[in-house]
Each structure stands twice: as structure tokens, then as C-alpha cells.
Amino acid sequence: MDAEEFPLPRSRQANERLHALIPGGAHTYAKGDDQYPENLAPVISHGQGAHVWDIDGNEYIEYGSGLRSVSLGHAHPRVLAAVRRELGRGSNFVRPSILEVEAAERFLATVPTAEMVKFAKNGSDVTTAAVRLARAVTGRQRVAICADHPFFSVDDWFIGTTPMSAGIPAATTDLTVAFPYGDLTATEELLTRYAGEVACLILEPAAHTEPPPGYLAGLRELADRHGCVLIFDEMITGLRWSEAGAQGLYGVVPDLSTFGKALGNGFAVSALAGRRELMERGGLRHSADRVFLLSTTHGAETHCLAAAMAVQMTYVEEGITARLHALGERLAAGVRDAAASMGVGDHIVVRGRASNLVFATLDENRGPSQQYRTLFLRHLLMGGVLAPSFVVSSALTDADIDRTVEVVAQACAVYRKALDAGDPTPWLAGRPVRPVFRRLA
């Protein structure tokens, strides 16, 4: 079936309306229609569990739901019940609600490596707060980010390091330096080069590969020896690696950590957590200079905190992390078998922890290819699979996985034809998908 034959007329019209009124046509660049094949960017009507429907009435099995935020599936009944209980009781007051302390107690019981927590609405709120706090307590200005991790914040200290740095002063960007993941020697060299200047090391504790043995403990030792703050960005690893995040799984405790995404199952809530000694600097009970840590009008909306509490209880009581791993392992095995059977096992490569799978699309020379990604995405979409990644939700069924593998096999057959031809262009039906971070539109 051609893209032009695929029934998306309303979605195409809605995309034009989106671009006319919203810069980029979406509120997250990773959701933009440039991330999908031309004329094959469905606009969503609603979702239930692991399935979504577009405004044209097409149904899809969905992966990477809400950029990894909806890990229990859409409209999860336990989360919705908790939210509904609060909606009729008011969502925001002139003083803290009792739910704020209850949510903090629940979070710290789930992530016992932290001693205090403060909630906000999105990941950038809390990663930037962590950086600000690190600068305040160390008296240093430089921030060291992991060069191998794609995103930390929408704020200048990070975005200035990307190709989309327009509008950000060079003086700000110059204060951010980078270190490679898994390389303690290079990181120590960086800390030595900027001796006494680096306020913090910030990284995802794990991503598409497991940490090398001793790596996180080695970073902990380096941070202590060089007097900088160790920050774990657990936006993705939080809950998906274990209920207590990667720090709970690997047994290395950071000074500060940030959580979001899965924490609210689609509701807007994030968290900055860490050692009392540091976190209290953003409070009222100390004698040092005050730190404007986090102060958000909507950071403690009651229904969002109720959602977070319900999510954490569901993970702990229902063994959700283990279920995510089991589903991911079933999917990864099926996709790899399908790719191998079609002769493209070296070209469609599934990577990552089972609960957080991504895929690489490689060309004839086994290099990353946006053209082959476009071809692959087109055939997944036309088979009813919406999958910018293969990140699973616990709402998926074995039947969903099996159907996904069938569609992958069909896409792999076309992929093989393109490889044999030495050019995927005839199978693209339009421009290729594009990287999120690029200098020109």
C-alpha cells in the first residue's frame, strides 16, 4: 500500500492546522511530523491501554507511549481512579495540601536512597534545579554532562551544546563541558583539566548499554575526590530499571537524582531528590545563602501527585518492572528472529535494556541511515504499529507482541529489497525523517 493510499486525510489536514498555530506543529520536537515519513504522521484522537486511534479512525499498537511516560498504558484504571478522587476536591491552593507530604513519603519509601524530594511538572525543571543547586553548594560554575546521552534539559546550559543553539550566549555554553560514558580515565582527565571548577557530573546512570563493571562506583569516587556533585538523570531509568530507579538496581547512590516520565503515567509530574544536606539549601532551615531551588505554581497539583502515588504503588504491588522486562524480551527476540529470517539481521538492530528497547536502521555499509529508518517506519505504520522506538508499556499483550513481529517481518522483506537494490529511495514516497537536533529547519 502506498502512503497516498493510506487513509490519513484528516491527520494531514490537522498537521497543517498544527503548523499554522504551533511552532513546529507539536509541543515536543520529538513528536513533530518531521520524525515520521511524509504524509504518514497520524494525529491522535485517543488511547486505551497499549493501543491508540488517530482522527481518521485507524488503530495502532503503540510503543514509546508519550515519549516513554505512559508505561502502564493509556487511561490506566488505578491511576484514573486516584486522579478522579482529587479532581472534585480542588487541585491547587494558597498553602500546601496534605497530599504533598503524602506524595513525598510515598516517593521516598519507593526511592529510599534519597532523603528529601521536591516535585515539579517536567524533567527540565528538575535537572536545571539540580545543576543550580550543585553550583550553589560547590561555588563552582562549570557543568560536566555525559556526551553520549541525548537530552538533559530545555535550558541554556544544555541546549547551547546542541546544533539548535540559536539564541543562547556562547558565554553560557562555554561553562558546559562533556565526558564520555563508561570512561573513568577520560572523566578524571576532564576534572583535572578544570580542577576546582566543575560543580557537577550529570548523566543517565544507564542507557542502551549496561554500565561497565565498577563504572558508577568509580564515578562516585571521582566526584567525592574532586569535590563535585554527582547527579543521576533517572527520567528514563526511574521505575523502568527498578522501582527505585537505576540507583536502586546498581547500588550506587548519587548526591541528587531527577525523575519524571513514568512517574505520572502521562500526568505532568517530575521530582528532584537527594541528600538532605544539599536539598535543604533550597529550604528555610539553614543559615547559608538561600538557593532558589524550585518554585512552581502548578508543581504540586493534587491530581498529578495522586497519579504519581498510584503509579508507584502499582509498580511495587503488581511487579510492573518485571512485566516490562518480560514483554521487552519477548519483543526483542521476535524482532531479531524476523529480521534474521528476512536477511536483514545485521541491518535492523534492537538495542537497550528489555524495558527500554530502541532500534537502529543500518544501510548497506551498516551505518546509521535516516532513509532506511523512513522505510521501516512507513511499513510499520501501514501495518498498524506506531513505533518510533520499541519501548514497551505493561498494557501490551502477547497478542500485541506477536502482531508487531508479523508487521516487522513484512517491513523487513521490503528492507531486504531496498538493500539488494542498493538504494531505498523508491520505497520512501517522500523526504526521509530527520534528526531532532539540527541547525536548520
Side-chain angles (χ1 to χ4, degrees):
M1 181 187 294
D2 248 347
E4 289 302 320
E5 299 171 8
F6 194 71
L8 284 178
R10 292 181 180 175
S11 289
R12 292 171 194 167
Q13 292 169 10
N15 274 310
E16 290 305 310
R17 291 166 58 200
L18 285 162
H19 278 282
L21 301 175
I22 300 166
H27 284 88
T28 310
Y29 284 114
K31 296 183 182 182
D33 60 2
D34 62 334
Q35 302 302 294
Y36 291 85
E38 192 166 1
N39 294 320
L40 278 177
V43 175
I44 303 301
S45 164
H46 63 286
Q48 181 68 50
H51 291 236
V52 295
W53 288 258
D54 65 30
I55 59 175
D56 294 284
N58 301 301
E59 180 179 353
Y60 306 87
I61 304 169
E62 187 195 39
Y63 293 88
S65 319
L67 304 182
R68 295 179 172 86
S69 67
V70 186
S71 62
L72 299 177
H74 300 289
H76 187 275
R78 190 168 181 177
V79 177
L80 288 186
V83 169
R84 287 190 179 111
R85 278 196 301 271
E86 296 305 323
L87 287 176
R89 292 161 47 85
S91 62
N92 208 337
F93 313 105
V94 76
R95 280 282 293 150
S97 78
I98 189 64
L99 209 66
E100 293 179 44
V101 70
E102 292 172 354
E105 288 169 345
R106 168 56 57 186
F107 181 92
L108 295 171
T110 308
V111 187
T113 41
E115 296 173 324
M116 297 187 83
V117 63
K118 195 157 189 180
F119 296 108
K121 302 309 287 181
N122 61 67
S124 295
D125 290 343
V126 291
T127 52
T128 290
V131 166
R132 183 186 303 117
L133 183 55
R135 283 171 161 163
V137 299
T138 63
R140 302 172 178 181
Q141 295 188 357
R142 290 194 190 276
V143 176
I145 64 173
C146 182
D148 299 303
H149 297 158
F151 188 80
F152 290 105
S153 174
V154 300
D155 293 299
D156 289 1
W157 62 270
F158 173 70
I159 293 297
T161 69
T162 75
M164 293 177 70
S165 60
I168 299 173
T172 299
T173 304
D174 290 344
L175 293 175
T176 300
V177 294
F179 61 94
Y181 187 79
D183 191 335
L184 291 173
T185 300
T187 305
E188 182 159 29
E189 289 172 355
L190 180 77
L191 293 171
T192 301
R193 185 183 322 138
Y194 296 107
E197 297 181 29
V198 176
C200 60
L201 301 171
I202 182 168
L203 73 157
E204 296 179 54
H208 302 320
T209 59
E210 286 292 291
Y215 173 63
L216 295 178
L219 273 186
R220 174 73 276 173
E221 190 276 330
L222 278 180
D224 290 340
R225 181 149 48 88
H226 287 268
C228 53
V229 174
L230 180 62
I231 304 170
F232 282 176
D233 178 341
E234 296 242 36
M235 291 298 148
I236 294 172
T237 55
L239 295 171
R240 281 190 181 273
W241 261 239
S242 81
E243 292 86 356
Q247 58 194 281
L249 179 65
Y250 300 124
V252 176
V253 181
D255 298 301
L256 300 171
S257 54
T258 58
F259 290 74
K261 292 194 182 291
L263 185 59
N265 201 55
F267 287 93
V269 59
S270 61
L272 168 64
R275 289 169 41 211
R276 181 176 302 277
E277 176 187 357
L278 274 64
M279 294 287 288
E280 192 61 84
R281 287 288 298 274
L284 300 175
R285 298 184 175 183
H286 64 88
S287 57
D289 289 346
R290 294 185 67 194
V291 178
F292 196 91
L293 186 59
L294 279 165
S295 186
T296 55
T297 298
H298 301 292
E301 283 179 314
T302 55
H303 60 281
C304 292
L305 295 184
M309 294 171 68
V311 167
Q312 290 169 95
M313 288 187 286
T314 301
Y315 262 81
V316 172
E317 294 173 10
E318 299 183 17
I320 295 298
T321 302
R323 174 163 174 75
L324 293 174
H325 277 76
L327 287 165
E329 286 170 357
R330 182 184 179 97
L331 176 63
V335 170
R336 287 171 181 144
D337 286 348
S341 68
M342 295 296 171
V344 295
D346 293 331
H347 300 274
I348 294 175
V349 181
V350 180
R351 297 171 175 163
R353 194 169 181 83
S355 60
N356 188 55
L357 296 171
V358 297
F359 56 82
T361 50
L362 309 182
D363 62 16
E364 299 86 349
N365 300 313
R366 296 179 186 168
S369 170
Q370 293 294 97
Q371 289 185 306
Y372 277 100
R373 178 175 175 82
T374 308
L375 181 156
F376 191 55
L377 288 175
R378 283 187 74 240
H379 288 275
L380 292 184
L381 283 162
M382 291 189 290
V385 176
L386 180 56
S389 69
F390 281 144
V391 176
V392 297
S393 76
S394 66
L396 287 160
T397 65
D398 288 348
D400 290 329
I401 301 290
D402 293 345
R403 173 58 186 162
T404 300
V405 172
E406 290 177 11
V407 174
V408 166
Q410 295 164 10
C412 288
V414 180
Y415 204 113
R416 182 68 258 172
K417 291 179 182 178
L419 287 170
D420 291 340
D423 179 13
T425 305
W427 287 272
L428 299 190
R431 52 106 183 107
V433 299
R434 308 195 67 188
V436 169
F437 286 116
R438 58 185 193 270
R439 190 172 67 87
L440 299 176

